[in-house]
Amino acid sequence: MEKRFAGPRVVTLQGLMDGTLDITMNAWSHSVGLLGEKLRLFTDEGVNNVTWSPLSKTLKPLTWYKTYFDAPEGKNPVALRMEKMEKGMVWVNGRSIGRYWVSFLSPVGQPTQSEYHVPRAFLRPKGNLLVVLEETGGNPETIRVETVNRDTICSIVPEYAPPHVKSWERNGDEFRPAAEELRAGARLRCTEDKIIKRIDFASFGDPEGACGSLYEGNCTATNAREIVERECLGKRRCTVPVDRNRFVEDDGVGKGQCGGHIYKTLAIQARCGRDLE
């Protein structure tokens, strides 16, 4: 995936009495790992093994950064937003949350991932140690600790999607359908003690976008929202079968018709909440 050359190509010693000495072809050995890893700079004990300097305006590669933060209130999942970083490793309270590679872009020129989950089990109420090893020169001042709202849920299922794995049952060495008719379905489920309070978007046709920014395409069924609300409102979980026989296609005014010659997609975005909200 990386196309840049890694490691030194030429090594010279300058300032000698006899001029510059090229030692590129000398015998070299290789040591695995970084000194910071051996010193365990990412732990509460190891962080004191070196003297840390204030953040410089010059962003250099292969640099260790540290800071402290308090755990966000509430129970929502916690994530690090790393949009202006480039590539490296992250530790929270001595525990690795993995490798980030924000500078690796998708075909549309956007980072393939910029938010990284921090399990709440890793966190203390106060004074959490965050250590970052940045390999190529990202800006650590832009790192943000955020909570993730899980009350917005989505399901996007095309007609050609296979039925859910639970649609099958095992009988000895054989698998057989658990229902008379197997069909893909859009499944929604709220967390904890919440229920589906509102349907923000429902379309059966050629919807576009992603969860949080869905919008209608060239066609949609006029009764899509009605069907989804009937199946899902007030429930913690629901399944809406992807069955074009249940959906009434748009009459062609404004949105047009897809007709029966294309595969259609059922896209739903819902909002979860507690029963008393």
Side-chain angles (χ1 to χ4, degrees):
M1 297 176 71
E2 291 188 83
K3 300 185 183 300
R4 290 173 295 181
F5 183 89
R9 301 189 185 192
V10 178
V11 182
T12 60
L13 294 178
Q14 298 178 344
L16 302 176
M17 295 293 293
D18 296 332
T20 299
L21 177 63
D22 189 338
I23 58 174
T24 304
M25 303 307 295
N26 285 29
W28 291 89
S29 61
H30 178 68
S31 177
V32 177
L34 300 174
L35 178 60
E37 292 178 298
K38 295 179 180 179
L39 295 176
R40 297 181 61 80
L41 299 184
F42 45 83
T43 64
D44 289 323
E45 300 78 17
V47 73
N48 297 316
N49 288 334
V50 296
T51 300
W52 296 81
S53 302
L55 183 63
S56 171
K57 293 183 179 180
T58 303
L59 302 175
K60 300 179 180 180
L62 286 177
T63 302
W64 293 83
Y65 299 100
K66 77 172 178 72
T67 190
Y68 292 89
F69 68 95
D70 296 337
E73 297 181 356
K75 297 182 179 180
N76 285 338
V78 178
L80 291 177
R81 182 176 289 274
M82 312 280 288
E83 286 181 329
K84 300 300 182 181
M85 299 300 284
E86 294 192 4
K87 180 183 178 185
M89 296 283 292
V90 187
W91 294 264
V92 174
N93 293 329
R95 306 178 74 171
S96 173
I97 66 168
R99 184 172 183 78
Y100 66 89
W101 196 351
V102 183
S103 59
F104 183 73
L105 303 181
S106 70
V108 296
Q110 297 297 321
T112 54
Q113 183 178 349
S114 59
E115 293 182 346
Y116 295 82
H117 178 228
V118 181
R120 278 196 175 267
F122 289 9
L123 300 180
R124 303 184 285 249
K126 302 285 185 180
N128 294 281
L129 172 64
L130 171 63
V131 175
V132 178
L133 169 61
E134 169 58 42
E135 297 181 13
T136 59
N139 184 2
E141 287 188 304
T142 62
I143 297 176
R144 297 289 182 267
V145 179
E146 299 181 343
T147 56
V148 180
N149 183 350
R150 299 181 64 186
D151 287 343
T152 296
I153 57 176
C154 297
S155 184
I156 305 172
V157 183
E159 284 185 291
Y160 54 79
H164 193 272
V165 65
K166 292 185 178 180
S167 301
W168 301 84
E169 61 184 10
R170 185 169 183 172
N171 182 19
D173 295 332
E174 297 182 355
F175 287 91
R176 62 186 183 186
E180 293 184 3
E181 184 179 10
L182 295 181
R183 192 182 301 277
R187 293 170 175 259
L188 298 172
R189 184 176 68 176
C190 297
T191 59
E192 299 176 352
D193 57 343
K194 297 181 180 180
I195 61 174
I196 298 172
K197 300 282 289 186
R198 186 176 73 235
I199 303 300
D200 293 328
F201 180 88
S203 175
F204 181 72
D206 61 342
E208 299 184 27
C211 189
S213 58
L214 290 167
Y215 58 95
E216 294 179 353
N218 295 317
C219 65
T220 186
T222 56
N223 62 341
R225 180 182 292 271
E226 176 187 346
I227 290 175
V228 173
E229 288 180 344
R230 184 169 62 246
E231 296 284 350
C232 298
L233 283 181
K235 300 177 181 178
R236 182 172 178 264
R237 64 177 70 188
C238 67
T239 301
V240 182
V242 182
D243 181 4
R244 67 169 56 200
N245 295 323
R246 301 182 63 192
F247 294 93
V248 178
E249 194 169 272
D250 195 298
D251 60 6
V253 178
K255 296 305 296 181
Q257 292 182 313
C258 289
H261 62 285
I262 69 166
Y263 284 112
K264 297 181 181 179
T265 296
L266 176 59
I268 306 171
Q269 178 175 310
R271 181 78 174 179
C272 298
R274 290 183 172 81
D275 195 19
L276 299 179
E277 292 180 350

